[in-house]
């Protein structure tokens, strides 16, 4: 079982993927840290678990945490353990042998637990998921821990000289009364308009922004702002009281993500977990539950408002057969079938060019409060002015089953808004599945941008889509009956009254990655 995603890191030429894992089965319980390694982020070797439940401070579970590379180039992991009283406490482990390229064995020092839920207003059962460490100008290490403080959500701030002895700062890094608890907080620096990553253990350049990401409401949300060094606090550029309006990392089935600095290529990579949406009995039959989404490069747009994400370039090494089309026109009701590739395991990249925006429908700001509801009401079969247009994937011959990934264009007072939906409601004939219509909005300047891009990665039950160059990302899980005994079809379509051009469409079959191959 692979729920949540603690502690990814790059160290001495090897990528390490840690994950919460039940070694006894595919249902929740007996959680330890599984461990896999890779040299390319695509093909993975599975090792023995890195952290197991062996001490009083983690006997009831080894939960999420983060890896940090210390000043002496030695990695350390701080993680949450559930102790004998089922309190949540923070523990540390170090590699037994740093010359082992795979870092197979990890040691728990006697100093555990490092941090306990002590202090007025702290809930000992809501105190977990420490971040990667960073260094302030005073030379002290800092981490943040997700907590419930006086009934509100908080990222509590702790300082240390040696990464072992920690002191809680008298104020949180940031707190909010909009919710009660944040899981899996992540805190990192970004340079506006620069897709290079920043290393938190090095000096942060002038002009950098900081991002505070948190997991709540079954999704990952974030704020962009400034890390005020003098006050040791995070100050968001915009504070929205209604958390339904907070920006999201992904608008689909994506949770407990964690980022890390990849010193090999100078980028920041974020990784998230996507759970199954069939039944527990299906999980037992499969013998596993939950997968990791494709690792994504993440950076901040030049306007310092929105994070952009794109699949790591290594994923392109899996491409094989390619088909390409140029200069297509899609009129109202048109379906263009994409043939010549394996539609069950594919990468599709398509650019849509608008021929007219005169018939654009007006935008209603209330849609932002429940975008999924709007995607259900304005689905792919309902004609709009400009849109819906996009892709139909994993479609059966008679279209009884299909997943739609599509756009609609709207005009607000000042700007144009693009709605991107991933509609799963007709994805499967199985009645018991969870099949929502996911959706997110992004702004577009149609005077500067002539096309709207869509990239979709398909791997059987996984449909991962990136709209507008990564401005909206939607991860979806689907289980068509068609997958069981036959192939599927894929189409580009337009159901808007305005014709849409497709100047470029490329699609590839994708090879199967070697994942969790055992190392003898």
């Amino acid at each position: 079982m692979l729920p949540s995603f603690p502690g990814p890191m790059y160290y001495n030429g090897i990528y390490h993927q840690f994950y919460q894992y039940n070694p006894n089965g595919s249902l929740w319980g007996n959680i330890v840290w599984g461990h896999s390694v890779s040299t390319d982020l695509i093909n993975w070797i599975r090792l023995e678990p890195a952290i197991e439940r062996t001490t009083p401070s983690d006997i009831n579970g080894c939960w999420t945490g983060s890896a940090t590379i210390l000043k002496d180039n030695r990695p350390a992991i701080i993680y949450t353990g559930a102790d004998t009283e089922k309190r949540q406490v923070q523990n540390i482990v170090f590699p037994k042998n740093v010359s082992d390229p795979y870092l197979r064995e990890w040691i728990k020092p006697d100093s555990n637990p490092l941090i306990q839920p002590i202090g007025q207003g702290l809930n000992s059962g809501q105190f977990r998921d420490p971040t990667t460490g960073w260094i302030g100008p005073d030379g002290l290490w800092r981490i943040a821990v997700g907590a419930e403080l006086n009934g509100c959500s908080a990222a509590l701030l702790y300082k240390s000289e040696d990464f072992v002895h920690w002191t809680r700062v008298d104020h949180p890094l940031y707190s909010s009364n909009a919710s009660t608890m944040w899981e899996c907080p992540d805190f990192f620096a970004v340079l506006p308009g620069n897709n290079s990553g920043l290393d938190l253990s090095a000096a942060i350049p002038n002009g950098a922004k900081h991002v505070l990401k948190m997991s709540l409401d079954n999704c990952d949300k974030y704020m962009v702002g400034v890390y005020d060094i003098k006050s040791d606090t995070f100050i968001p550029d915009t504070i929205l009281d209604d958390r339904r309006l907070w920006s999201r990392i992904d608008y689909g089935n994506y949770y407990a993500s964690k980022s890390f600095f990849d010193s090999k290529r100078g980028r920041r990579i974020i990784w998230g977990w996507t759970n199954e949406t069939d039944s527990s009995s299906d999980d037992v039959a499969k013998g596993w539950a939950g997968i990791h989404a494709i690792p994504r490069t993440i950076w901040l747009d030049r306007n310092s408002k929105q994070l952009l994400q794109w699949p790591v370039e290594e994923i392109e090494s899996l491409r094989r057969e390619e088909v390409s089309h140029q200069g297509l026109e899609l009129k109202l009701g048109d379906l263009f079938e994409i043939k010549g590739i394996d539609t069950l395991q594919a990468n599709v990249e398509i650019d849509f060019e608008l021929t007219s925006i005169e018939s654009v429908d007006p935008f209603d700001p209330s849609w932002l409060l429940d975008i999924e509801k709007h995607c259900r009401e304005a689905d792919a079969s309902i004609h709009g002015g400009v849109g819906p247009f996009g892709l139909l994937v994993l479609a059966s011959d008679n279209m009884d089953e299909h997943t739609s990934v599509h756009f609609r264009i709207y005009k607000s007072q000042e700007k144009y808004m693009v709605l991107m939906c991933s509609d799963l409601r007709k994805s499967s004939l199985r009645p018991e599945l969870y099949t929502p219509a996911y959706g997110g909005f992004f702004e577009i300047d149609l005077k500067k941008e002539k096309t709207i891009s869509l990239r979709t990665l398909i791997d059987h039950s996984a449909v991962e889509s990136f709209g507008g160059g990564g401005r909206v990302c939607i991860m979806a899980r689907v289980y068509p009956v068609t997958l069981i005994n036959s192939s599927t079809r894929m189409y580009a379509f337009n159901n808007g009254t305005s014709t849409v051009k497709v100047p470029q469409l490329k699609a590839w079959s994708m090879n199967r990655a070697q994942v969790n191959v055992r190392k003898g």
Side-chain angles (χ1 to χ4, degrees):
M1 181 181 184
L2 308 177
S4 186
F5 200 159
M9 71 173 180
Y10 177 77
Y11 182 70
N12 286 356
I14 301 289
Y15 294 100
H16 294 261
Q17 182 193 55
F18 301 98
Y19 44 90
Q20 293 189 317
Y21 175 62
N22 179 357
N24 301 326
S26 54
L27 301 181
W28 175 260
N30 310 302
I31 296 301
V32 303
W33 276 42
H35 186 192
S36 297
V37 292
S38 172
T39 57
D40 61 5
L41 289 168
I42 303 299
N43 302 289
W44 294 88
I45 297 169
R46 181 168 55 157
L47 305 176
E48 54 274 11
I51 308 173
E52 298 190 84
R53 302 177 302 129
T54 57
T55 66
S57 60
D58 64 14
I59 196 66
N60 281 303
C62 302
W63 295 349
T64 300
S66 299
T68 302
I69 309 299
L70 304 181
K71 295 176 184 176
D72 58 359
N73 195 38
R74 181 176 56 145
I77 291 172
I78 297 183
Y79 69 99
T80 300
D83 69 9
T84 51
E85 302 171 33
K86 297 192 175 178
R87 300 182 311 157
Q88 294 174 8
V89 298
Q90 314 314 318
N91 303 295
I92 195 166
V93 292
F94 298 101
K96 183 177 181 179
N97 178 9
V98 291
S99 63
D100 172 12
Y102 290 164
L103 303 178
R104 290 177 176 87
E105 295 183 74
W106 295 76
I107 296 173
K108 301 175 184 178
D110 295 336
S111 52
N112 284 328
L114 307 184
I115 303 172
Q116 301 185 51
I118 297 171
Q120 188 173 0
L122 265 185
N123 182 342
S124 64
Q126 302 284 350
F127 179 70
R128 57 187 177 273
D129 309 340
T131 65
T132 297
W134 72 95
I135 297 177
D138 54 8
L140 298 180
W141 283 102
R142 289 153 171 81
I143 60 169
V145 179
E148 181 183 310
L149 181 64
N150 297 316
C152 297
S153 51
L156 300 184
L157 186 63
Y158 291 83
K159 289 185 182 180
S160 174
E161 290 186 11
D162 59 6
F163 216 75
V164 174
H165 300 89
W166 293 89
T167 302
R168 180 176 155 193
V169 180
D170 60 6
H171 60 268
L173 176 68
Y174 186 74
S175 63
S176 168
N177 60 8
S179 62
T180 56
M181 170 68 191
W182 289 338
E183 293 192 297
C184 306
D186 197 10
F187 189 61
F188 55 92
V190 283
L191 275 173
N194 189 328
N195 64 2
S196 297
L198 294 175
D199 183 357
L200 290 183
S201 63
I204 301 301
N206 292 331
K209 292 282 190 177
H210 275 75
V211 174
L212 178 63
K213 172 253 142 189
M214 66 292 289
S215 300
L216 73 162
D217 299 335
N218 297 313
C219 63
D220 283 4
K221 304 185 180 186
Y222 70 90
M223 302 174 183
V224 178
V226 174
Y227 176 43
D228 188 314
I229 294 172
K230 291 181 179 178
S231 65
D232 238 344
T233 55
F234 171 72
I235 303 171
D237 290 343
T238 304
I239 298 176
L240 299 170
D241 293 332
D242 192 331
R243 68 178 192 255
R244 291 176 294 177
L245 297 172
W246 292 1
S247 298
R248 286 177 56 167
I249 297 290
D250 189 289
Y251 287 83
N253 181 346
Y254 190 92
Y255 194 72
S257 62
K258 180 75 69 174
S259 75
F260 71 101
F261 176 67
D262 175 12
S263 58
K264 179 181 180 181
R265 300 208 177 193
R267 59 189 170 179
R268 179 159 292 274
I269 292 173
I270 192 166
W271 241 327
W273 166 65
T274 171
N275 69 347
E276 307 302 309
T277 54
D278 50 3
S279 68
S280 296
S281 59
D282 289 318
D283 295 342
V284 172
K286 287 180 293 194
W288 56 273
I291 61 174
H292 294 138
I294 297 295
R296 306 169 179 177
T297 305
I298 186 168
W299 69 101
L300 184 65
D301 71 2
R302 64 172 62 91
N303 297 320
S304 298
K305 290 184 177 179
Q306 185 172 25
L307 292 174
L308 306 176
Q309 299 165 80
W310 201 247
V312 294
E313 61 189 58
E314 287 90 336
I315 196 72
E316 296 166 21
S317 67
L318 296 176
R319 291 173 175 172
R320 40 191 180 95
E321 298 92 1
E322 176 185 343
V323 296
S324 179
H325 301 277
Q326 291 82 32
L328 302 177
E329 275 197 353
L330 298 175
K331 298 183 174 65
L332 173 65
D334 279 354
L335 276 177
F336 177 82
E337 185 167 6
I338 303 168
K339 298 179 179 180
I341 61 165
D342 178 359
T343 56
L344 297 180
Q345 208 160 288
N347 175 5
V348 187
E349 297 185 11
I350 183 168
D351 291 331
F352 295 98
E353 183 181 326
L354 310 181
T355 60
S356 170
I357 55 174
E358 294 177 1
S359 58
V360 168
D361 297 317
F363 174 72
D364 183 345
S366 70
W367 293 338
L368 295 170
L369 296 173
D370 193 344
I371 306 176
E372 291 186 11
K373 178 175 181 285
H374 184 57
C375 279
R376 292 193 301 269
E377 293 173 346
D379 70 29
S381 66
I382 296 176
H383 304 321
V386 183
F389 54 86
L391 287 173
L392 300 176
V393 303
L394 298 176
S396 59
D397 289 342
N398 59 7
M399 296 289 284
D400 280 353
E401 294 183 316
H402 64 269
T403 296
S404 167
V405 185
H406 61 268
F407 298 119
R408 285 178 181 267
I409 316 300
Y410 295 100
K411 178 72 167 68
S412 68
Q413 289 182 335
E414 304 283 325
K415 58 206 171 193
Y416 290 92
M417 300 291 287
V418 180
L419 171 69
M420 176 177 165
C421 297
S422 186
D423 193 341
L424 280 53
R425 288 176 298 161
K426 295 183 179 178
S427 62
S428 179
L429 292 172
R430 292 174 58 186
E432 74 278 10
L433 300 176
Y434 176 58
T435 53
Y438 298 119
F441 277 101
F442 62 92
E443 298 177 14
I444 190 168
D445 186 341
L446 290 177
K447 294 178 181 178
K448 293 181 179 178
E449 297 181 71
K450 303 300 183 185
T451 62
I452 299 171
S453 68
L454 175 63
R455 181 178 183 182
T456 296
L457 295 164
I458 301 152
D459 186 3
H460 297 82
S461 73
V463 178
E464 193 167 0
S465 300
F466 302 81
R471 279 176 277 192
V472 166
C473 310
I474 303 179
M475 179 74 201
R477 302 298 305 282
V478 297
Y479 309 88
V481 175
T482 312
L483 287 180
I484 300 171
N485 50 25
S486 63
S487 61
T488 61
R489 296 178 181 271
M490 181 189 300
Y491 304 89
F493 79 94
N494 176 28
N495 263 337
T497 54
S498 294
T499 296
V500 175
K501 292 183 178 180
V502 178
Q504 181 74 31
L505 186 162
K506 288 187 175 183
W508 296 263
S509 301
M510 299 290 276
N511 283 320
R512 183 185 297 270
Q514 299 298 307
V515 176
N516 279 348
V517 174
R518 284 190 177 275
K519 185 72 174 177

